[in-house]
Amino acid sequence: MKPIGLVLILLIIGIFVLWIWATKRKRGVAPIKTNGVQIFNILVKGVYAPNVIRAKFGLPIQINFKREEDTDCSRYVNFPDWHIRKELPQGQTVTIKIPADRKGTFSFMCDMSMYQGKLIIE
Ligand SMILES: [Cu+2]
């Protein structure tokens, strides 16, 4: 093999490794974007799945919680930074709207903080 071929292969491997590193570095699930709204779907079953979500500043956020369990622990979800507390009736989808009006990492949790999630706005 000519040296130029080897260099090219190494370059391609290098770009691939960088690309993996860059994508892995970002924590959190990205939204589905529809009409300028950032939509997330979170399943409540033992945990919040996903429990880290990542949104962009400025675009309204809509989080659809679906609680598929009957434990009392997860019955309410709280977003203290927006003074939101909502009941999640079993088997129903409950939509929580959050204005992406500040940047940072914000926690959401059940009443007892046993279930924990993070909303990152950047
Ligand atoms: Cu709880």
Side-chain angles (χ1 to χ4, degrees):
M1 193 187 282
K2 285 179 183 170
I4 188 85
L6 191 67
V7 166
L8 264 177
I9 287 173
L10 285 175
L11 197 69
I12 289 166
I13 291 172
I15 288 169
F16 186 67
V17 167
L18 265 177
W19 175 74
I20 296 224
W21 175 79
T23 47
K24 278 268 165 71
R25 221 165 59 97
K26 290 234 168 192
R27 281 178 71 230
V29 167
I32 305 153
K33 278 190 194 152
T34 308
N35 298 326
V37 179
Q38 309 184 76
I39 300 168
F40 297 93
N41 295 308
I42 294 182
L43 175 69
V44 184
K45 201 174 181 183
V47 290
Y48 295 133
N51 69 346
V52 182
I53 55 177
R54 177 178 292 270
K56 286 217 158 39
F57 177 80
L59 290 177
I61 297 167
Q62 190 176 308
I63 307 173
N64 302 317
F65 282 91
K66 190 164 191 200
R67 176 165 160 260
E68 289 190 349
E69 61 184 4
D70 60 3
T71 171
D72 249 6
C73 190
S74 58
R75 193 163 153 203
Y76 289 88
V77 67
N78 296 276
F79 286 80
D81 295 282
W82 288 272
H83 308 287
I84 292 171
R85 177 175 183 261
K86 267 217 173 175
E87 187 176 359
L88 308 174
Q90 191 184 351
Q92 288 179 34
T93 299
V94 174
T95 299
I96 291 180
K97 289 178 180 172
I98 290 171
D101 55 0
R102 57 199 96 163
K103 289 183 182 180
T105 300
F106 307 97
S107 294
F108 55 95
M109 70 286 291
C110 69
D111 276 356
M112 298 131 256
S113 290
M114 306 279 286
Y115 289 61
Q116 298 261 1
K118 284 199 189 313
L119 163 61
I120 301 164
I121 303 177
E122 60 185 14

